[in-house]
C-alpha cells in the first residue's frame, strides 16, 4: 500500500468520555507519528469539546492537531472511502458508507477496535476476521490488551520523557497545581478522584477524614458531585476547599487530556475509571485504584480480577492483599473504610512497583504502531 495511508475512524459517544477519549488519542497519534491522513467522524462534538477546548461543536468539518474532524450525522455525505476504516467499539458504520466500501476497487482494511480487557481469551481473538454476510468485505477484530499477542495499549512517543522531566522538576508540579488553584502542604498525600456515581465515595471521604495523615483530594468538576455534596453539605466549587479532619477536598476544573496527564503525574494516588484514564494512570507510574465500567450481571468483576491478578503479580503478599481488598471495596465488594488503612500503608510499596509495571506494559508495543503493522499485513 502506498503511504500516506488514509484512514477513517468512526466514534459514537455512547456515554461518558471513554469512546471519544480513546479515539481522539488514537487519531492524533496516527497522524503525528505515522503520517496517516486521518478523518475522525464523531457523533457528539459537545462531549469531545470537554477533552479538547478547540473543538467547534457546530462545525461540519474542522482541522484539529493534524486530524480532520467530521460531524457524524444521518445526512452526512462522504465522497471518498479511506484505505483503512476503523469502527470504534462496534459503533456500526453508516449503511451508505459500508456500501461504498464494498464498491471501492480495492476494499479498505476494515477494523473493529474493541474494548480493553485483561482476560486471557483476548489474545486468542485479537486479529480474527469476520466476513460480511452479504458484501465482499471482511472485518477484523483488533483488541487492545496487556500482553503480547494483543494490540497493546495507547501510548504516544515522548510520553515517558515528558513525565520523567515533570517528575524531576518539583517546580513544574508546584506551578501546574498552582495554576489550578491548588497548594498542597508538604505532608499532604495528594489524590485525584475520577469514578462512576456508584463508587463508595462517602466511605473514602470518611476514611481520609479519619486518617492519621493528611490528604488533599482533587476532584474534577462534575465527578462524584452528588456523593460529595451529600457528604460536605454543599456542591464542590473550584477555589473553595472543604476541610474535615485530615481531609482537604478541592474541586478542580475538568481538564483537557494533556493537563489530565499532568494531574495524574502530580498525585501520590489516582482513582481512575473506565479505560483511557486507567491506562494513563499506569503510564503516570503512581499507585492507582480502578473503578471499572459497570456491566450487567457483574460481568465487570471478572474483568477487574483479570487485571488485578496481573497487576499484583510480583508484589509482597501483604501489599497484594491490601490492593485486592481496596480495589474490590471500591468496586462495591467489601468495606472501603475498613480496607483503607492497610492500603494506605502499602502505597510506598505500590509506588516502587509502578515503574516496572509500566515498563512491562510498554514492552508489547503501542496500540497505534501495532495497528499500522496490522493494516500493512492485511493489505
Ligand atoms: O469516561 P469513561 O467512563 O469512559 C468509559 C469507558 O471507556 C468504558 O470502558 C466505556 O465502555 C464507556 O466509556 C462507554 O472513562 P475513561 O475511559 O477513563 O475516559 C475518560 C476520558 O476523559 C479520558 O480520555 C481521560 C479524560 N479526562 C480528561 O481529559 N480530563 C479530566 O479532567 C478527566 C477527569 C478525564
Amino acid at each position: 500500500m502506498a503511504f500516506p495511508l488514509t484512514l477513517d475512524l468512526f466514534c459514537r459517544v455512547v456515554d461518558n468520555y471513554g469512546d471519544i477519549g480513546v479515539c481522539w488519542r488514537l487519531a492524533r497519534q496516527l497522524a503525528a507519528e505515522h503520517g496517516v491522513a486521518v478523518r475522525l467522524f464523531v457523533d457528539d462534538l459537545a462531549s469531545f469539546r470537554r477533552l479538547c477546548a478547540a473543538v467547534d461543536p457546530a462545525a461540519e468539518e474542522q482541522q484539529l492537531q493534524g486530524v480532520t474532524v467530521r460531524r457524524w450525522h444521518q445526512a452526512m455525505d462522504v465522497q471518498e472511502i479511506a484505505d483503512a476504516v476503523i469502527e470504534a467499539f462496534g459503533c456500526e458504520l453508516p449503511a451508505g458508507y459500508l456500501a461504498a466500501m464494498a464498491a471501492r476497487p480495492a476494499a479498505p482494511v476494515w477494523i473493529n477496535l474493541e474494548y480493553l480487557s485483561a482476560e486471557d481469551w483476548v489474545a486468542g481473538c485479537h486479529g480474527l476476521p469476520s466476513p460480511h454476510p452479504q458484501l465482499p468485505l471482511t472485518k477484523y477484530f483488533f483488541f487492545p490488551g496487556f500482553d503480547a499477542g494483543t494490540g497493546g495499549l495507547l501510548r504516544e512517543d515522548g510520553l515517558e520523557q515528558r513525565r520523567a522531566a515533570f517528575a524531576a522538576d518539583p517546580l513544574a508540579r508546584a506551578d501546574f497545581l498552582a495554576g489550578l488553584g491548588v497548594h498542597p502542604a508538604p505532608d499532604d498525600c495528594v489524590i485525584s478522584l475520577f469514578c462512576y456515581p456508584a463508587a463508595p465515595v462517602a466511605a473514602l471521604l470518611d476514611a481520609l477524614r479519619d486518617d492519621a495523615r493528611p490528604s488533599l483530594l482533587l476532584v474534577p468538576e462534575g465527578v462524584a458531585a452528588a456523593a460529595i455534596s451529600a457528604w460536605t453539605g454543599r456542591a464542590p466549587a473550584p477555589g473553595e476547599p472543604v476541610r474535615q479532619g485530615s481531609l482537604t477536598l478541592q474541586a478542580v476544573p475538568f481538564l483537557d487530556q494533556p493537563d489530565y496527564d499532568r494531574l495524574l503525574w502530580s498525585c501520590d494516588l489516582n482513582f481512575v475509571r473506565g479505560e483511557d484514564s486507567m491506562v494513563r494512570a499506569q503510564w503516570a507510574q503512581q499507585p492507582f485504584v480502578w473503578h471499572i465500567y459497570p456491566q450487567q450481571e457483574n460481568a465487570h468483576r471478572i474483568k477487574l480480577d483479570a487485571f488485578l491478578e496481573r497487576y499484583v503479580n510480583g508484589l509482597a503478599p501483604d501489599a497484594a492483599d491490601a490492593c485486592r481488598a481496596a480495589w474490590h471495596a471500591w468496586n462495591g465488594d467489601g468495606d472501603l473504610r475498613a480496607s483503607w488503612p492497610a492500603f494506605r500503608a502499602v502505597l510506598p510499596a505500590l509506588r516502587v512497583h509502578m515503574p516496572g509495571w509500566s515498563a512491562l506494559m510498554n514492552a508489547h508495543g503501542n496500540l497505534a504502531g501495532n495497528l499500522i503493522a496490522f493494516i500493512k499485513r492485511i493489505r
Side-chain angles (χ1 to χ4, degrees), residues 203-213 231 244-247 337 340-341:
L204 175 67
L205 301 181
D206 286 348
L208 296 176
R209 178 197 58 204
D210 299 341
D211 202 312
R213 287 158 295 181
W231 194 85
Q244 285 201 23
S246 295
L247 169 66
R337 217 172 152 186
W340 177 256

Side-chain angles (χ1 to χ4, degrees), residues 69-296:
V69 174
R70 294 274 309 261
R71 199 164 73 83
W72 178 5
H73 55 92
Q74 286 296 334
M76 178 182 76
D77 178 30
V78 183
Q79 292 300 334
E80 280 171 25
I81 304 300
D83 302 321
V85 179
I86 301 180
E87 177 179 316
F89 311 121
C91 66
E92 282 196 20
L93 298 174
Y97 187 93
L98 200 58
M101 276 167 65
R104 196 178 189 264
V109 178
W110 179 19
I111 288 170
N112 187 54
L113 177 64
E114 289 288 339
Y115 287 110
L116 176 62
S117 172
E119 291 162 286
D120 286 338
W121 57 263
V122 167
C125 294
H126 174 57
L128 288 183
S130 168
H132 191 279
Q134 285 94 37
L135 299 171
L137 292 169
T138 299
K139 175 156 71 174
Y140 293 87
F141 294 97
F142 193 94
F143 282 85
F146 298 94
D147 56 21
T150 70
L153 300 172
L154 273 175
R155 168 159 156 153
E156 67 275 23
D157 271 357
L159 176 66
E160 174 51 17
Q161 288 84 337
R162 283 196 299 282
R163 186 209 63 82
F166 187 90
D169 178 1
L171 276 183
R173 177 181 186 260
D175 284 352
F176 169 71
L177 290 175
L180 303 178
V182 174
H183 304 279
D187 291 345
D188 278 340
C189 179
V190 184
I191 304 173
S192 75
L193 180 66
F194 186 37
C195 60
Y196 297 110
V201 171
L204 175 67
L205 301 181
D206 286 348
L208 296 176
R209 178 197 58 204
D210 299 341
D211 202 312
R213 287 158 295 181
S215 294
L216 173 59
L217 183 67
L218 303 177
V219 190
E221 266 180 309
V223 174
I228 290 173
S229 300
W231 194 85
T232 61
R234 64 180 167 87
E240 294 175 21
V242 174
R243 293 189 179 84
Q244 285 201 23
S246 295
L247 169 66
T248 304
L249 185 155
Q250 188 168 347
V252 293
F254 196 93
L255 302 166
D256 64 14
Q257 284 185 327
D259 272 349
Y260 183 62
D261 276 333
R262 290 184 191 96
L263 181 69
L264 297 175
W265 301 344
S266 298
C267 289
D268 303 300
L269 171 64
N270 294 302
F271 285 80
V272 288
R273 76 182 199 191
E275 187 164 316
D276 192 54
S277 58
M278 181 256 200
V279 172
R280 303 310 283 186
Q282 293 170 67
W283 303 144
Q285 299 184 29
Q286 300 288 11
F288 69 107
V289 179
W290 183 27
H291 201 211
I292 192 168
Y293 189 76
Q295 289 180 293
Q296 283 181 343

Side-chain angles (χ1 to χ4, degrees), residues 24 28 45-57 62 64-65 254-259:
W24 175 227
R28 270 181 297 170
L45 293 172
S47 291
F48 187 4
R49 192 178 191 188
R50 297 218 58 198
L51 306 186
C52 173
V55 171
D56 175 354
Q62 54 198 304
L64 290 171
Q65 299 181 33
F254 196 93
L255 302 166
D256 64 14
Q257 284 185 327
D259 272 349

